[in-house]
Structure formats: structure tokens, C-alpha cells
Amino acid sequence: MVRLKRSILWACLIAIAVLAVLSVYGAFLGADRAQAFFNSVPVVIYWGAFGVLLAAGIAVLRRLSWVPSLLLMHLGCILILAGGMWGSPLGQDLQKRFFGTERIRKGQMPVLEGTAENRVMVADSNDTQELPFSIRLRDFRIEYYEPGDLYIQSRNGRRWKLPAEAGRTQALGENLGTVTIQRAFRNFKMDVSGDERIAYDAPGGLNPALEVMIQKPDGTTARRYVFLHRAGHGNPNDPLVMSYEQSPRDYVSELEVVRDNQVVASKDIEVNHPLHHGGYHFYQHSYGQNQMGEYTILMVVSDAGLNIVYTGYAMLIVGVFWHFWGRRLWPTLRSRQAACAPVGVSGEVPNGTG
Amino acid sequence: MAIKYTFQGLLIYMAMAAFLSAFLATVAGRRKAGQWLFMAGFCASLLAYVYRWIDVRHVPLQNLFEVFLCLGMVCYPISVVGRRVLRIGGQWADMLIAAIVLFPAGFKFHAEPQHLPPALQSWLFVPHVGVYTLSYIFMAMAAFRAAVHLCTAKRAAVVDAILPPEQATYTLIAIGFPLLTLGLILGSIWGKRAWGDYWGWDPKELWSLASWLVYVGYFHWRHMFGTQYARINSLWAIAGMAAIVITLLWVNLSRLFPGVHSYAT
Ligand code: HEM
């Protein structure tokens, strides 16, 4: 028995070390190849063996099942492994073969504004599969941080950034002069009559631009218009390159779930706020525009195994804090309060402590 | 290497100077002065952190500059907990760690405020990075005690009131490990909400898993052998810290591992 226990402990140590080494190896592969690697048959066998080892440990090593904190964290690890394997490509394949469950593991779904869609382009294949319900896109929009920034770059590579608001000024040093933002347009328009050009903000529409005045060191001035997200066609002899940028604050898709012509759910999704419906999560993934209009690209991910993994997480966290903080830090703090004197934390060798 | 000629920079350099002087005073035997300087450094770094917070209007943990600023700030409180509650000695190491982690914030990383990209706008952002920050300092303090143990194993004087270095290492890791675990799991849950997968096999994720596993290995090794091979225990602790440093820095700085965490530079 002692030998069996010893062997399990050694096997466990080796299993942990092997996983650490594999993780480092995987880091050199990059995410896509690492994913394929960790789902390859030899590694899947390793995952299974790890789970069995944990279970054997709990069965054979008495303290693992008797000390609740230890039990929680080791059981938690088993659940995380099990949930991960249940939701993995291989796990889903096996479920399809044995239980006939037809589930999309992961895929992308472009939805045109104003239309409903239930076809999903399945990841890692050329297949299209249908969901038992449709997703309608009411509206897609990008929200930006206001007011944006004007970037100025000199030919020798110096860069300045200033908020894109009228009245802002930036001195660029002796050789380059000073830049002032004179006006900020929401919808820039220009009327040309003869030699005269008049820039103005037209109602409606969207064509953000900045009017910039450059005061050169020799006393002359020059006026420039810089348009949002459009690189200017600068004269190559011009000493300054300018661009007007706004960073996105949010990508929002207003979605409705439609079953049998009835809207059964709706949610405005953003990055970090997916829609959860019918065993799938829908994520804001990308967007685009074609001749039919604007569209959003949703990522569709099955939530198979997710609850098992999250339960495992909860057990692991509770177990670890209970084991190390609850049994060490807490009694120490309490006895300190009682006696107002430092009392030992069990830093001694944990063999048989408990 | 770039010097920051700003108020923010000045505060960071003052904190670094105080931490370094605290270290020198302590090793020179002026413990009381060392403590005062340590606290002064903490006040300066706290001020720098609060200043940054007001400046960027979100909890400053978004890029490596802010993370290192935070790392420098939490050293003092963690050291005090270590000394008062956990009976950990060798505070000179904590002062040195504080000065070291502020160095990249002061001289290496750019402090230009950036807008928070959509992926970082999550309630999980602050707990995930914050918890990691705390755990990293615990692990760094543990690694220093482990190094001290390796260097002085034979002639360590046993002082009753404080734990010997090997046990101090264990205690610090035992307190830091739950935080490390929580950081990993919060990151995973965040990944699920932001990108659709609770585990994306991204290089940074894999390095953080590897670091975590080194500590799991440490616990099991120490369970099996106790202090029979005490030096190997200390080597585990140092290996864990090495993995953490790689997780935190190398993945961001080198272009070796492209991945979703690259924005965090
Ligand atoms: C692979 C199979 C595993 C086996 C057979 C195993 C077995 C054990 C045993 C026998 C102990 C000692 C309990 C005691 O204090 O008496 C232990 C402790 C521990 N195990 Fe595992 N374990 C395994 C995997 C894991 C994994 C994957 C984790 C990750 C969370 C883990 C985390 C821990 C922790 C944190 C301790 C506490 C150590 C301490 O109190 O110093 N173990 N394990």
C-alpha cells in the first residue's frame, strides 16, 4: 500500500511537470498550432491519464478525501479536465457519434442589418450548419472615444498628439513652428466659388475633419484639412504629416432571437457582453460593409461542458483559499487579535499537519 | 531607456530612491531608518499611483507601465503583513524588490495614457490583474528568501521570532498561491466573456499555466520530501519566479509569441 501511494505521488509529480513542459512548448507554437497540439491524440490520452491519476489519488490517499479543502481542489481539477474534454472537438465528435447530438462547436455568422440569419460557417471546415432559431440584426454601430486625437509627425520621426478640439495648440520647436486646431467639423463640406473656398459644417451626414493652421517659423501660415481615418495625400516635401484618429470605445450589435417568427429574446451585445441563448454564446466578433449594407460578424460558440468547468473553478478556488488562507492566515490573525502577540503560521513541513 | 521629466516621473524616482536607501540602511544595520525610508517610498509610490489614476480616469492596470507602478506600490503593505502576521524576516529583500519593480516603470515603459480598448472594458479586468499583481509580489518575496536559503543554508542563524528562510519561502508561497490561482481563473472567465473561449492556448495563457504548475509541483515535492532536500525546495521557488517573469515580460516584449494579449504592452 505504501508503495502504491508513493507511486501515485511520483506519477502525479511527473504528470504536473510534463504539463508544465508541454505548456512552455505550446507557447512557442502560437495559439492555433498549440490548440491543435493539445487536442491531438497523444495529448488527449495524457489528459485522460491525468484525470484517472487524480481520481486514483483521491481513492487511495486518505487525506485527499478526508480533508475537505484538499478534496475540493483535487475534485475541482477533475471537473475542469472533464468539462474541457466534454466541450473539446474530440468530445463533441464522440457525442455526435454515440448520442447523435448535432451541435455546432464554434463558427462565424455574418448578419446583415435588418435581416435574420440562422446559418453558421463552422470553424475549421467549409461547412455551413443551421441553428434551430435565427438571429436578427436590428442595428450595428461603432462608438468612439470623443473627441479623438490629431497626430502630427515630422519628417525626422518626432511625434505629437493633441486632443482634436478647436483651440488646441502645439509648439513643434524652432524649425517647425506651431500648429493650432481652428475648427472641428462633424460633417465637413466645402463650397468653391471662383478662388474662394468656404468650409462649413453641413447638417446631417458624417464626415469629421479638422481645420489646422500651421504657423511657420518664417512668419507665414498655411491652412490644412485633416479627415478622420483618412491618410492625407501630403506633399512629400511637406515637413509635417498629420492624421486624425478616433479609437473605438465599443462595437454594438442590437440582436433579436427569432423562433417561429416570434422574437423570443433580445440583447444589445458588445465586446465582453455576449448573448446567451439555446446552448450557445453569441459574440461581437467583427463587422463590415458590402453593397447590401452594413453587417456584423458574430462568433457562435457552444457552451457544452462550460458549467462543469465553472463548477470545477469554484471548487478549486474555495479549496485553495480554505486550505492556505483559511487554515493558516485566519487562525493566525485571530490569535493575534486575542493575544496581541505574533503566533506561528504552520510553516513547518506539512507532512501530517492538518 | 527614457527618463520621464514629469511630475509622475519625479514621484517614481523619489520612491525608487527611498526604497534603495531603505535597503542600504537596513543592510548597514540601521533598521529603524530603513523602516521609515521604506514607508516614505511607499507614500511616494502611492501618490504616483493615485496621480495616474486621476490622470487616466480608470484603475491604472491597463499596460505594463501601470502594472509595474502598482507592483512597486504593493511591496510595502505585503512586507508589513509578512513581518507582522507571518513572522517573515529579511525585509531588506522587500525593499530591494520594490526598487527593482519600479525601475521598468521609471525608465523603460511609456507612460502615455491610452484609451481603454473594448476588450478591456470588463468588470473582471481589475480583479484579474490586481490579484495577479499581489500574488507576483508574494512569489518574488518567496524567491528572494529561497535564494537566501540557497546561499546561507549551512550557516543560517536561527532566530526564534522569525521563520528560517526555507519555511519563510513556503509560507509566502502558500499565501500567494491562492491569489495566483484566482488570477488564472478570473482570466479564463474573462476570456470566455470577451473572446468566446475560457482557454485560448495563447502563449501568455500557457506561460501563466506553466508558472502555476511549477508551484503545484513545489507543493507536491515538499509534501513528498519535506525538508529532506531543502535546497531543491528553494530551487522550485526560484523556477516559479522565473516562469512568472517570463509570463509578465518576455511574452509582451519579444515578438516571439503573437497572441491576444499583445495589446498589453
Ligand atoms: C495528478 C494527481 C494528483 C495527486 C495524486 C495529488 C495528490 C496530492 C497529495 C497526496 C497531497 C498532499 C495532501 C496532504 O497535505 O497530505 C496534495 C496536496 C496538494 N495538491 Fe495535489 N495531487 C494531484 C494533482 C494536483 C493538481 C492538478 C493540483 C492543482 C491544483 C494540486 C494541488 C495541490 C495542492 C495546492 C496541495 C496542497 C499542498 C500543501 O498543503 O502544501 N494537486 N496533492
Side-chain angles (χ1 to χ4, degrees):
Chain A
M1 198 61 181
V2 172
R3 273 192 52 192
L4 176 64
K5 288 182 180 172
R6 204 78 192 156
S7 317
I8 290 181
L9 278 175
W10 265 112
C12 145
L13 194 62
I14 291 167
I16 290 167
V18 166
L19 186 53
V21 171
L22 291 185
S23 302
V24 170
Y25 171 68
F28 282 92
L29 293 178
D32 291 340
R33 285 168 61 209
Q35 174 155 23
F37 172 70
F38 282 100
N39 281 293
S40 64
V41 175
V43 184
V44 169
I45 292 172
Y46 164 84
W47 290 125
F50 202 115
V52 171
L53 198 57
L54 272 159
I58 293 175
V60 174
L61 303 160
R62 221 181 312 147
R63 272 176 53 80
L64 282 194
S65 47
W66 280 14
V67 181
S69 57
L70 285 171
L71 182 63
L72 271 176
M73 60 190 163
H74 289 91
L75 263 185
C77 287
I78 295 185
L79 285 190
I80 294 167
L81 278 175
M85 288 173 85
W86 184 261
S88 71
L90 185 69
Q92 300 265 291
D93 267 4
L94 290 177
Q95 288 162 52
K96 192 164 149 189
R97 193 167 311 163
F98 291 113
F99 308 127
T101 41
E102 189 74 30
R103 251 176 169 255
I104 303 164
R105 206 182 74 77
K106 193 174 184 178
Q108 289 189 8
M109 191 172 172
V111 191
L112 199 63
E113 226 167 41
T115 68
E117 182 60 81
N118 72 342
R119 286 166 303 172
V120 178
M121 289 149 38
V122 180
D124 307 322
S125 79
N126 296 324
D127 276 3
T128 308
Q129 282 191 35
E130 292 186 357
L131 292 171
F133 51 86
S134 304
I135 302 286
R136 191 200 328 267
L137 176 65
R138 281 212 319 259
D139 186 35
F140 171 76
R141 62 177 189 275
I142 307 178
E143 292 170 357
Y144 291 98
Y145 282 104
E146 296 291 345
D149 298 297
L150 175 68
Y151 289 91
I152 308 164
Q153 189 167 357
S154 71
R155 289 288 161 193
N156 61 13
R158 285 196 63 188
R159 270 165 73 90
W160 297 267
K161 179 171 109 169
L162 69 163
E165 288 167 331
R168 295 282 183 165
T169 292
Q170 177 73 49
L172 309 181
E174 282 174 15
N175 303 330
L176 295 166
T178 304
V179 165
T180 306
I181 301 177
Q182 295 214 304
R183 283 201 283 174
F185 302 90
R186 207 184 130 67
N187 186 28
F188 177 89
K189 284 272 177 330
M190 181 172 266
D191 276 350
V192 183
S193 59
D195 272 353
E196 203 170 357
R197 295 164 171 208
I198 300 167
Y200 63 98
D201 223 342
L206 195 65
N207 182 26
L210 299 175
E211 184 180 281
V212 179
M213 187 66 82
I214 306 165
Q215 201 129 35
K216 296 185 186 159
D218 60 10
T220 57
T221 57
R223 189 192 313 259
R224 279 232 226 136
Y225 294 100
V226 188
F227 294 89
L228 185 65
H229 300 317
R230 269 185 272 162
H233 302 285
N235 178 343
N237 297 326
D238 211 327
L240 296 176
V241 181
M242 295 191 210
S243 64
Y244 174 18
E245 306 290 342
Q246 271 185 325
S247 2
R249 199 185 59 217
D250 256 319
Y251 304 93
V252 186
S253 292
E254 295 180 12
L255 302 184
E256 285 174 347
V257 181
V258 184
R259 261 183 211 264
D260 308 324
N261 291 325
Q262 291 224 317
V263 176
V264 291
S266 69
K267 182 168 180 180
D268 297 357
I269 66 161
E270 313 164 15
V271 180
N272 271 314
H273 299 276
L275 163 74
H276 188 221
H277 185 86
Y280 294 94
H281 277 98
F282 297 85
Y283 296 87
Q284 179 63 52
H285 181 64
S286 186
Y287 63 95
Q289 195 162 23
N290 60 18
Q291 63 275 30
M292 318 252 303
E294 262 190 308
Y295 58 88
T296 191
I297 300 179
L298 304 177
M299 183 157 71
V300 186
V301 187
S302 144
D303 61 8
L306 188 66
N307 286 336
I308 307 176
V309 172
Y310 278 12
T311 310
Y313 282 174
M315 289 167 69
L316 178 58
I317 282 298
V318 171
V320 168
F321 273 94
W322 183 350
H323 190 73
F324 289 114
W325 282 34
R327 299 180 347 154
R328 286 166 200 284
L329 209 52
W330 185 237
T332 316
L333 284 172
R334 274 230 318 250
S335 57
R336 264 182 64 82
Q337 264 177 359
C340 269
V343 173
V345 170
S346 49
E348 60 271 17
V349 183
N351 267 331
T353 57
Chain B
M1 188 91 169
I3 296 174
K4 294 186 172 63
Y5 298 101
T6 53
F7 181 59
Q8 172 96 73
L10 181 71
L11 286 173
I12 296 174
Y13 300 137
M14 276 166 49
M16 282 178 71
F19 288 145
L20 270 180
S21 326
F23 164 69
L24 292 174
T26 308
V27 290
R30 312 292 292 266
R31 292 201 43 198
K32 202 87 198 143
Q35 287 300 329
W36 280 109
L37 283 164
F38 199 9
M39 189 152 69
F42 167 67
C43 292
S45 60
L46 181 66
L47 213 58
Y49 198 71
V50 172
Y51 180 83
R52 176 73 178 180
W53 194 328
I54 294 168
D55 196 25
V56 295
R57 278 172 285 171
H58 56 73
V59 186
L61 286 172
Q62 183 192 353
N63 50 35
L64 283 179
F65 168 74
E66 294 171 352
V67 167
F68 274 84
L69 196 56
C70 184
L71 285 170
M73 184 192 61
V74 297
C75 284
Y76 177 75
I78 293 180
S79 180
V80 170
V81 170
R83 186 168 42 119
R84 301 241 175 111
V85 182
L86 304 173
R87 291 193 299 143
I88 310 278
Q91 265 58 46
W92 59 267
D94 307 343
M95 300 160 184
L96 194 58
I97 291 171
I100 292 173
V101 293
L102 275 187
F103 183 85
F107 294 103
K108 184 83 187 78
F109 298 122
H110 293 291
E112 192 174 281
Q114 296 154 330
H115 292 300
L116 217 48
L120 293 191
Q121 297 164 23
S122 163
W123 66 269
L124 286 160
F125 165 48
V126 171
H128 165 63
V129 185
V131 156
Y132 257 132
T133 309
L134 292 177
S135 74
Y136 283 176
I137 293 298
F138 273 104
M139 296 320 194
M141 291 179 177
F144 259 83
R145 270 67 182 188
V148 168
H149 172 242
L150 283 182
C151 298
T152 62
K154 288 264 151 48
R155 51 192 168 80
V158 178
V159 185
D160 229 12
I162 59 167
L163 296 174
E166 197 280 331
Q167 286 185 26
T169 307
Y170 174 72
T171 303
L172 283 165
I173 293 179
I175 301 302
F177 182 74
L179 295 169
L180 195 70
T181 311
L182 187 60
L184 190 62
I185 285 178
L186 288 175
S188 165
I189 295 173
W190 184 6
K192 176 67 193 166
R193 289 177 64 85
W195 292 291
D197 284 311
Y198 55 84
W199 194 255
W201 309 105
D202 178 82
K204 186 141 181 152
E205 292 173 7
L206 285 168
W207 271 110
S208 60
L209 177 67
S211 322
W212 184 77
L213 286 167
V214 172
Y215 292 105
V216 174
Y218 168 80
F219 286 128
H220 285 95
W221 175 268
R222 204 170 179 280
H223 170 74
M224 286 168 72
F225 298 106
T227 43
Q228 195 178 349
Y229 307 107
R231 282 165 171 267
I232 297 183
N233 299 355
S234 295
L235 285 178
W236 277 98
I238 292 171
M241 192 59 221
I244 285 179
V245 171
I246 295 172
T247 311
L248 187 59
L249 284 182
W250 192 22
V251 181
N252 291 106
L253 296 182
S254 82
R255 295 281 157 232
L256 258 176
F257 318 104
V260 290
H261 286 85
S262 307
Y263 58 76
T265 51

